[in-house]
Amino acid sequence: MMGKTATVLILASAFSSAMVAGIFYAFSSFVMPALARIQNSEGIHAMNSINVTVITPSFMLFFMGSAVLGIVLGGWSLFSISQLDSQLVLLASLLYVVGCFGVTMVLNVPLNNQLAATSPTDGHVFWQTYLKTWTLWNSVRTASSALAAIVFVAAALKRAAA
């Protein structure tokens, strides 16, 4: 991969992936445990509210922007895949696009949709399953985003050393 544009995009991907990792880390480390400590109906109501409220330009810029940059950079890296920085970019892109964005679309969003369809007063059994399953997959998203950020930084450092 050549040029300053690629380096800027790689660094932007590192930053946006790290931002997403931080947001998801907060959920796994203290938001979900806090919701588990309150009444089931209140937890369900709060999480449903969070799932609606999270759709903001600021969050979507990082979450979707990282996916778009990952797809663009991953595709771009294939043109010079014999170079280590391109291999690192491809790895980081796959970590984010599959491990974060893909897990979100295939696992977390369907769980959120199930929760939204669950009555807060009758959903106590599902809520306990939701808490465990959603947090597990959120932790996968967290790790994938964080690793993507680290690997993007490694690619940028490799480019700088070249």
Side-chain angles (χ1 to χ4, degrees), residues 74-127:
W76 193 0
S77 72
L78 295 174
F79 291 102
S80 55
I81 199 63
S82 63
Q83 297 173 0
L84 180 57
D85 64 321
S86 293
Q87 294 166 6
L88 291 170
V89 166
L90 180 59
L91 174 60
S93 297
L94 289 170
L95 280 165
Y96 188 86
V97 171
V98 175
C100 179
F101 188 79
V103 166
T104 300
M105 295 300 115
V106 173
L107 297 161
N108 290 89
V109 168
L111 283 168
N112 292 343
N113 292 340
Q114 274 186 276
L115 186 67
T118 301
S119 163
T121 55
D122 299 329
H124 61 279
V125 173
F126 178 68
W127 176 242

Side-chain angles (χ1 to χ4, degrees), residues 2-98:
M2 308 215 26
K4 290 182 182 181
T5 301
T7 302
V8 169
L9 291 176
I10 291 166
L11 290 172
S13 293
F15 178 75
S16 61
S17 296
M19 290 292 289
V20 171
I23 292 164
F24 289 160
Y25 174 76
F27 270 83
S28 287
S29 67
F30 59 85
V31 173
M32 298 309 282
L35 293 178
R37 295 178 60 150
I38 61 177
Q39 293 286 329
N40 292 342
S41 60
E42 293 174 14
I44 292 169
H45 181 72
M47 191 64 187
N48 280 332
S49 181
I50 290 167
N51 288 334
V52 170
T53 307
V54 73
I55 309 300
T56 63
S58 61
F59 174 73
M60 296 309 280
L61 174 68
F62 291 114
F63 179 67
M64 296 295 291
S66 294
V68 170
L69 282 171
I71 292 166
V72 168
L73 288 171
W76 193 0
S77 72
L78 295 174
F79 291 102
S80 55
I81 199 63
S82 63
Q83 297 173 0
L84 180 57
D85 64 321
S86 293
Q87 294 166 6
L88 291 170
V89 166
L90 180 59
L91 174 60
S93 297
L94 289 170
L95 280 165
Y96 188 86
V97 171
V98 175

